[in-house]
C-alpha cells in the first residue's frame, strides 16, 4: 500500500483522489447506484477500506470488508447516526439534533472515503455525513454489538463441588485482567469465591467501589448476617434457611450477592448452592406442566419490618421464573418462606403447591447441589437472579459470649457489573492494539 501511495504522490495525486478515482459509479435500470471500490485499499491511518454499494431500491448502503460478510446500513440509520461535529458530541456520546428534525425518508446519493479513514456520505437533505470507518465496521448492524452477548451461560450441577472458580481478593482489587476474569465467570457460571479477603467487615464495599458502587437495600448498604435479639428476618437467627434468592419482595431483585465470612460457627452453617437455570432447563424437558405453572403463576412476595433506615413494607407479584423479551430467563425468584400468597383462585392452589414441591425436589437433588462451608476471609459471590442458596442450621454455644458466626453481606446490580465488564474489555483491546 505504501508503494501504491508513493506512486500516486509521484504523479501528483492525493490518496483522496485515488479513492475517488477508483469508484465505478453505475446506475441500474430500476434506479440504484453501485459504487465499486477495490477492497484491498487501506487508508493512511490503517483503516481497511470496504467496497461500497448504494442500494436505492432497499434504501441502504452496503459495505463489504475483505474476507467478511457484507453489511447493510439503512439510509435513515446512517443519517441519524452521523458522527460529524454538528450532529454528534463525541465526548458525551450523544446526538446534537432533535429527533423531530430527522427526515426518515432521507436518501444517500454519494459516498467516498478520505485518507484518514472516514466515510463521507452526501444525503438528499444536503447534509454531508461523516463516519469513521472503525465505527461502521464495529457496528454489527443489524445484529447486536454487545460483547456480553458472546458470553454464554454455562450451566452446572454438583460437578462444581470443590471446583467453584476462585480468585484472590487482592488480585481482583489491583489487577484489571483478574477483575475481568471474575466478571466473566460471574456472567457465565454465576458463582465465584474470593480468597484471603481478611476479616474486616467492610471489605465487600471495596469491591463495590472498585466496580461502581454497592446496591443498597433497606437492610443497609452492607449488612451483617449474624444472630440478633430481635431479628426482622430469619437471616438474623441460627436456623436453617431453605433455598431462596434474596429480596424477592422487590421487583428488581439485587443482581449479585456477596457474603464475606468474618467468623464461622464451630458446627453447621454450610451453604448449599444450585444453578436454577439448569433446574429450569431440566423442568422444561421433564416436567413441562410444572415449568408452565412456575413461569405463569404470580406469587405475592412480601417483606415487612424495620431496619436501620426505616420501617418497610415491600411487595412484588411475579412468577418464580420470569422470562425477558428475548425468551431468556430474566430472574428466578424463590423464597419458600415467603411464598405464602399466590394470586390464583382456590382451585388452583393445590396444583401450584405441587409445582413448588417438584421445584423443591429438584433443588435438593444431589446432582444439582454444590455445598460450601465458608472459611473466614472468603467471599462467596453469586448471581442472585440465577442461584438459589440455602444455609444449614448452625450451633451457638451458650457458654460463649459474643458473635459466633458472622457474614458481611453486600449486593451489586448487573447493570453496573456488565458496564464495567465492557469498560475493562475495551481497555484490554486498546492495550493489545497499541502493543
Ligand atoms: C440469608 C442467607 C446465608 C448464610 O440470610 O439470606 O442466605 O450462610 N444467609 O447465613
Ligand atoms: Zn452530521
Ligand atoms: Zn440469602
Amino acid at each position: 500500500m505504501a508503494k501504491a501511495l508513493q506512486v500516486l504522490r509521484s504523479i501528483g495525486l492525493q490518496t483522496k483522489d485515488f479513492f475517488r478515482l477508483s469508484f465505478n459509479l453505475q446506475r441500474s435500470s430500476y434506479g440504484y447506484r453501485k459504487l465499486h471500490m477495490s477492497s484491498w485499499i487501506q487508508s493512511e491511518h490503517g483503516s481497511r477500506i470496504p467496497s461500497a454499494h448504494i442500494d436505492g431500491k432497499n434504501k441502504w448502503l452496503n459495505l463489504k470488508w475483505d474476507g467478511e460478510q457484507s453489511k447493510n446500513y439503512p439510509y435513515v440509520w446512517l443519517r441519524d447516526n452521523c458522527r460529524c461535529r454538528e450532529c454528534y458530541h463525541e465526548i458525551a456520546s450523544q446526538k446534537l439534533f432533535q429527533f423531530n428534525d430527522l427526515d426518515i425518508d432521507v436518501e444517500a446519493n454519494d459516498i467516498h472515503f478520505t485518507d484518514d479513514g472516514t466515510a463521507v456520505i452526501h444525503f438528499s437533505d444536503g447534509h454531508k455525513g461523516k463516519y469513521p470507518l472503525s465505527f461502521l465496521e464495529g457496528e454489527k448492524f443489524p445484529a447486536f454489538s454487545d460483547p456480553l452477548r458472546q458470553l454464554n451461560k454455562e450451566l452446572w450441577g454438583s460437578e462444581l463441588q470443590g471446583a467453584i472458580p476462585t480468585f484472590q481478593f487482592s488480585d481482583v482489587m489491583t489487577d484489571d485482567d483478574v477483575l475481568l476474569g471474575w466478571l466473566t465467570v460471574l456472567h457465565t457460571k454465576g458463582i465465584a469465591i474470593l480468597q484471603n479477603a481478611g476479616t474486616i467487615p467492610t471489605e465487600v464495599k471495596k469491591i463495590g467501589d472498585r466496580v461502581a458502587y454497592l446496591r443498597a437495600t433497606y437492610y443497609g448498604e452492607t449488612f451483617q448476617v449474624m444472630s440478633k435479639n430481635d431479628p426482622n428476618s430469619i437471616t438474623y437467627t441460627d436456623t436453617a434457611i431453605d433455598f431462596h434468592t434474596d429480596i424477592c419482595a422487590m421487583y428488581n431483585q439485587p443482581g449479585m450477592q456477596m457474603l464475606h465470612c468474618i467468623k464461622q460457627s464451630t458446627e453447621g452453617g454450610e451453604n448449599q448452592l444450585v444453578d436454577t437455570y439448569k433446574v429450569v432447563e431440566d423442568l422444561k424437558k421433564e416436567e413441562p406442566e410444572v415449568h408452565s405453572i412456575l413461569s405463569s403463576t404470580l406469587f405475592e412476595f412480601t417483606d415487612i419490618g424495620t431496619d436501620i433506615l426505616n420501617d418497610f413494607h415491600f411487595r412484588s407479584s411475579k412468577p418464580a421464573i420470569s422470562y425477558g423479551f428475548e425468551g431468556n430467563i430474566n430472574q428466578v425468584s424463590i423464597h419458600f418462606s415467603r411464598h405464602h400468597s399466590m394470586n390464583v383462585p382456590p382451585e388452583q392452589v393445590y396444583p401450584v403447591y405441587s409445582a413448588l414441591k417438584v421445584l423443591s425436589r429438584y433443588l435438593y437433588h444431589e446432582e444439582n447441589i454444590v455445598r460450601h462451608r465458608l472459611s473466614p476471609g472468603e467471599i462467596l459471590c453469586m448471581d442472585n437472579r440465577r442461584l438459589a442458596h440455602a444455609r444449614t442450621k448452625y450451633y451457638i454455644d451458650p457458654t460463649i459470649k459474643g458473635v459466633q458466626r458472622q457474614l458481611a453481606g453486600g449486593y451489586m446490580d448487573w447493570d453496573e457489573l456488565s458496564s464495567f465488564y465492557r469498560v475493562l474489555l475495551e481497555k484490554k483491546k486498546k492495550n493489545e492494539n497499541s502493543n
Side-chain angles (χ1 to χ4, degrees), residues 82 84 87 127:
C82 178
C84 83
C87 296
H127 190 66

Side-chain angles (χ1 to χ4, degrees), residues 372-435:
H372 186 81
R373 192 162 181 277
L374 282 165
S375 299
E378 283 185 327
I379 303 178
L380 175 61
C381 312
M382 50 192 164
D383 182 342
N384 184 54
R385 295 168 148 242
R386 170 174 173 184
L387 259 74
H389 60 285
R391 160 185 95 189
T392 59
K393 179 175 171 58
Y394 65 92
Y395 295 94
I396 296 179
D397 184 340
T399 63
I400 300 175
K401 274 203 168 160
V403 175
Q404 295 180 34
R405 182 180 188 269
Q406 183 180 356
L407 306 183
Y411 300 111
M412 292 199 65
D413 275 333
W414 275 109
D415 279 329
E416 285 77 9
L417 292 161
S418 301
S419 154
F420 211 53
Y421 171 86
R422 295 184 195 101
V423 167
L424 290 175
L425 197 68
E426 252 163 57
K427 209 162 138 187
K428 190 176 163 76
K429 275 192 194 153
K430 259 186 208 153
N431 284 345
E432 281 169 1
N433 288 344
S434 65
N435 288 336

Side-chain angles (χ1 to χ4, degrees), residues 244 246 257 389:
H244 65 284
D246 273 21
Q257 163 159 223
H389 60 285

Side-chain angles (χ1 to χ4, degrees), residues 79 82-84 86-87 127-130:
R79 181 65 192 86
C82 178
R83 287 302 189 254
C84 83
E86 201 183 303
C87 296
H127 190 66
K128 238 192 246 175
K130 290 185 184 155

